[in-house]
Amino acid sequence: MRTIEWNDSDSSVKMIDQTLLPGELKIIKCKNVAEICEAIQNLRIRGAPALGVCGAFGVAMAARLSSANTVGGMLKDIKAAGEAIKKTRPTAINLSWGVDRLIQIVEEEGMDPHLIRNIALEEAQRMADEDAAINKKIGKNGAKLLKDGDVILTHCNAGRLACVDWGTALGVIRSAALEGTKISVVACETRPLNQGSRLTAWELQQDKIPVHVITDSAAGFLMSEGVISKVIVGADRITQEFVYNKIGTYSLSVLAKEHNIPFYVAAPVSTLDPDNWEENIKIEERSPDEIRYLGKAKELNVAEGIPILNLAFDKTPMENISAIITENGTFYPPILIDEIILG
Ligand code: MRU
């Protein structure tokens, strides 16, 4: 199944609970906006493109559940739900993009409450289909950059689990493998929530693409030994100056530059943020408990009382990036994000 889907039979949003992988593949159902917010906050669903579609389904759900019988009343309910959803995770722009796109279409075309419910769901479903198609295009464009023998390092999970389907960074790898290019992958573990070891490695194993998992701190040594030929990562937000992505991406970009290894970012155009000021962009800080305790048994990793800074994302300057791969093509330095949007 796709990472996230609308379930018509009981008007719920179905998703793979990513906190349980790779041990258990479980589908959960969110039946109201609070459950959707909980799922996003706790990373049951995660990854920028998947969050965008989840935000859209959340607004569609709010429209379904609203008892308002006027357009104004319904818009009020939808906007309140949209605000609650947007607050769950601040860094990935796709989340607010998904919510805002839904609210905009409802404002433009919603003549009565019944119509609003239908329009909202149709648009959210359109976004889910678009995401899957866009990732295929990103994959096709990016696959041209890979050749036989490449060992590609990736960080976090920018695979089908981070999207509706196929993936961005892993979409490129998947497309190349499908075309017959002989490649293998090195997945950084991605502390503290281990999206690399738990999700990326699992996805690649399912597709029979060779993968090794390394600790995050092993990447520099492997680059210096000539093991890594390319780095491909996804993105949560791209401004003219920086690519925001999982914490550790910046360090990898510096290491790649030092060792003359191409550093590629694969992302849909919806991840671009051309109009924002850096000071307005919030880097998500998550609970210290994600670092203080280890695993389900909650073994103590950092003694109580010691302060912990758990930043979920960092920002990589554009000058460290060799190319941005999008559905509109692959863009090389000098990278101008307005040109990417125009295609
Ligand atoms: O905290 P997460 O797991 O949501 O972080 C995800 C990432 O950093 C991904 O690299 C990014 O969202 C791109 S996913 C195609």
Side-chain angles (χ1 to χ4, degrees), residues 153-155 158 168-169 231-235 243 245 249 252 263-267:
L153 183 132
T154 188
H155 191 56
T168 58
V231 179
I232 311 180
V233 294
V243 170
N245 193 47
T249 303
L252 291 172
F263 189 92
Y264 299 124
V265 174

Side-chain angles (χ1 to χ4, degrees), residues 106-121:
V106 164
E107 279 183 325
E108 283 168 8
E109 295 179 17
M111 303 296 187
D112 65 66
H114 175 69
L115 198 61
I116 289 179
R117 288 190 190 98
N118 290 343
I119 289 173
L121 185 56

Side-chain angles (χ1 to χ4, degrees), residues 219-232:
F221 178 61
L222 288 183
M223 288 189 195
S224 74
E225 292 283 294
V227 173
I228 307 294
S229 48
K230 276 150 197 160
V231 179
I232 311 180

Side-chain angles (χ1 to χ4, degrees), residues 121-143:
L121 185 56
E122 275 167 26
E123 184 70 2
Q125 270 168 331
R126 189 170 306 123
M127 285 169 69
D129 292 341
E130 272 175 22
D131 181 70
I134 284 170
N135 292 330
K136 286 278 174 75
K137 280 193 193 160
I138 293 174
K140 208 164 173 219
N141 291 337

Side-chain angles (χ1 to χ4, degrees), residues 43 46-49 89 156-158 162-163 168 195 235-236 245-246 313:
L43 271 63
R46 43 145 301 280
R89 297 197 75 192
C156 194
N157 172 266
C163 305
T168 58
Q195 290 92 329
D236 284 87
N245 193 47
K246 181 53 56 195
F313 299 97

